[in-house]
Amino acid sequence: MTTQLTVKVQLVRSPIGCKESHRATVRGLGLRKLNSTSELQDSPAVRGMINKISYLVKVL
């Protein structure tokens, strides 16, 4: 029985006016509107994406 570690992320700031790559990262994490949340597998790739746009998201 393997348990996957997950991380829950919420978009708290609008990506309007940000770099295009940062907007693409927000979409890659599955976030659309403000206050939308996404539950993702906890991997180094996801952690790197969260770190890149840390000023736009909140980890719950």
Side-chain angles (χ1 to χ4, degrees):
M1 189 158 58
T2 60
T3 57
Q4 295 285 340
L5 295 177
T6 60
V7 61
K8 201 168 188 181
V9 182
Q10 180 179 23
L11 186 64
V12 294
R13 190 165 170 238
S14 174
I16 295 173
C18 298
K19 291 182 177 180
E20 187 62 39
S21 64
H22 290 203
R23 276 188 242 161
T25 303
V26 169
R27 295 293 297 128
L29 288 174
L31 302 170
R32 289 180 173 257
K33 298 180 178 182
L34 281 181
N35 297 318
S36 64
T37 60
S38 183
E39 194 164 342
L40 307 154
Q41 288 185 2
D42 193 8
S43 67
V46 170
R47 286 286 176 173
M49 292 170 78
I50 292 170
N51 190 43
K52 183 176 181 178
I53 58 166
S54 62
Y55 64 100
L56 296 175
V57 297
K58 178 172 63 170
V59 177
L60 303 174

